Amino acid sequence: MITCENLMKIYKIDDEMEVMALQGLDLEVEKGEIMGIIGNSGSGKSTLLNMLGGLDRPTAGKLTVDGKDLLRLSEKDLVKYKLETVGFIWQNNARNLIPYLSAVENVELPMLLKGRHKRERAKKLLEMVGLNQQMNSKLDKLSGGEQQRVAIAISLANNPRLLLADEPTGSVDTKTANIILDLFRKLNRELNITIVIVTHDTQLIKKWIEWFRFEMGRHQVNF
Ligand SMILES: Nc1ncnc2c1ncn2[C@@H]1O[C@H](COP(=O)(O)OP(=O)(O)OP(=O)(O)O)[C@@H](O)[C@H]1O
Ligand SMILES: [Mg+2]
C-alpha cells in the first residue's frame, strides 16, 4: 500500500534556516496492515503523515501510495487522492470536528462535499464506532474520547483505503485510549482497511502484544 524510499522533507524557515524533518526514511506498509510508528516529539511523525495524506509534498525521495506516485501527482489528482483514497485523523481535534454541528452532521459533511447526501451512512458509521446514543448530540456535549470516535467516523466517510491517525490517543485517558486502539483494530479487520498510527504513546506497544496473543490463540483453536 505504501512505499517510501529515502524520503526527505526539508522545511525552509527563511533564507538562512532550514529544518530537516525527514532524513531519508524507508518504509513499506502492506495492504490490510495496521502499522504503528512510535517516536519522540519533533521526530517527524506528523510530517510523515502529511506526506502520506497528500497534504504536503516531500522534498526528495520516492513515495507511492496505492500505486500513486505522490511526488508526481498533479494538483487535480492530489485533490482526488485526498478525497477518495485517504482518511485523516488529525493530531489537533479542532481540525477534525465542527463544534456547532451534531455528531451525525459532522460525519455527513465530507459526503456532502462529494455531492452525496448520506444521513443513513453517517448513522451507520457512528454505530460502528459505538456512538449509537450520541448521534444527535452537539460536539461540545461529548467527552474527549467520544469526540475522537466521531473524528474516526468522519475519516471513514468516503470509504478510504488508507487511514492515517496522528496521535489519536494524545488527549484521552488510558481506558479511553484502549477503546480507541481496539476500534482501529476492529476497523482494520472488518473493513480490511490499511491503517498507520503515529504516536509517542507506548501503550500502543502493549496493545500490539495483546492483539498478537489474541491472534495466536485464535490460530491454535482453528488448527
Ligand atoms: N511547517 C513547518 N515549518 C517548519 N518546520 C516545521 C514545520 N512542520 C514541522 N516542522 C519541524 O519539523 C520537525 C518535525 O515536526 P513534526 O511535527 O513532524 O514532529 P512530530 O514527531 O509530529 O512531533 P509531536 O510528537 O510533537 O507532534 C520539528 O523540528 C518541527 O519543528
Ligand atoms: Mg505531531
Side-chain angles (χ1 to χ4, degrees):
M1 188 71 183
I2 299 172
T3 305
C4 298
E5 274 173 33
N6 203 18
L7 195 69
M8 309 235 193
K9 179 66 186 177
I10 299 169
Y11 291 109
K12 208 169 156 50
I13 310 282
D14 54 37
D15 284 347
E16 280 152 32
M17 268 273 285
E18 286 181 340
V19 176
M20 197 168 212
L22 291 178
Q23 345 189 357
L25 178 81
D26 295 323
L27 176 72
E28 287 271 354
V29 182
E30 300 292 332
K31 280 200 172 92
E33 194 173 357
I34 181 162
M35 162 83 65
I37 301 175
I38 299 176
N40 290 335
S41 177
S43 59
K45 303 183 298 297
S46 296
T47 303
L48 172 64
L49 278 206
N50 286 342
M51 307 289 121
L52 295 178
L55 302 162
D56 204 352
R57 301 246 192 194
T59 310
K62 189 180 156 199
L63 175 59
T64 54
V65 180
D66 200 25
K68 293 166 195 78
D69 180 346
L70 291 196
L71 272 91
R72 298 222 163 80
L73 224 53
S74 68
E75 284 303 319
K76 189 170 159 247
D77 286 341
L78 202 60
V79 171
K80 200 165 138 57
Y81 171 80
K82 283 187 270 191
L83 209 54
E84 293 177 358
T85 306
V86 284
F88 217 106
I89 298 142
W90 311 92
Q91 183 165 10
N92 173 3
N93 226 348
R95 207 168 161 185
N96 291 313
L97 308 168
I98 301 181
Y100 52 82
L101 294 181
S102 69
V104 73
E105 286 164 346
N106 264 277
V107 180
E108 217 179 354
L109 200 62
M111 294 187 265
L112 296 176
L113 292 175
K114 277 195 77 181
R116 292 193 261 146
H117 187 76
K118 290 263 175 75
R119 175 61 58 110
E120 283 317 305
R121 177 162 165 75
K123 285 183 177 170
K124 229 168 146 188
L125 289 169
L126 285 169
E127 275 169 26
M128 198 178 271
V129 300
L131 293 178
N132 311 39
Q133 306 297 319
Q134 293 86 355
M135 294 203 182
N136 297 313
S137 306
K138 289 275 177 289
L139 261 286
D140 55 5
K141 299 285 180 295
L142 298 182
S143 72
E146 287 166 346
Q147 290 187 17
Q148 198 62 329
R149 282 189 276 160
V150 176
I152 295 170
I154 294 172
S155 75
L156 294 170
N158 288 333
N159 259 326
R161 295 164 64 79
L162 173 65
L163 209 59
L164 303 170
D166 194 350
E167 213 71 68
T169 56
S171 53
V172 295
D173 61 23
T174 311
K175 188 168 159 263
T176 311
N178 251 313
I179 294 170
I180 288 168
L181 292 175
D182 281 335
L183 175 59
F184 279 118
R185 181 68 180 145
K186 178 181 136 174
L187 297 172
N188 169 247
R189 289 187 64 88
E190 290 180 4
L191 306 177
N192 197 32
I193 191 167
T194 311
I195 303 181
V196 178
I197 301 171
V198 302
T199 183
H200 63 255
D201 183 359
T202 50
Q203 193 181 348
L204 185 61
I205 301 174
K206 287 187 204 137
K207 267 326 288 187
W208 193 88
I209 293 168
E210 187 187 311
W211 293 334
F212 183 71
R213 288 210 175 112
F214 180 75
E215 289 297 322
M216 293 300 282
R218 270 163 50 98
H219 286 300
Q220 274 162 19
V221 171
N222 288 344
F223 289 137

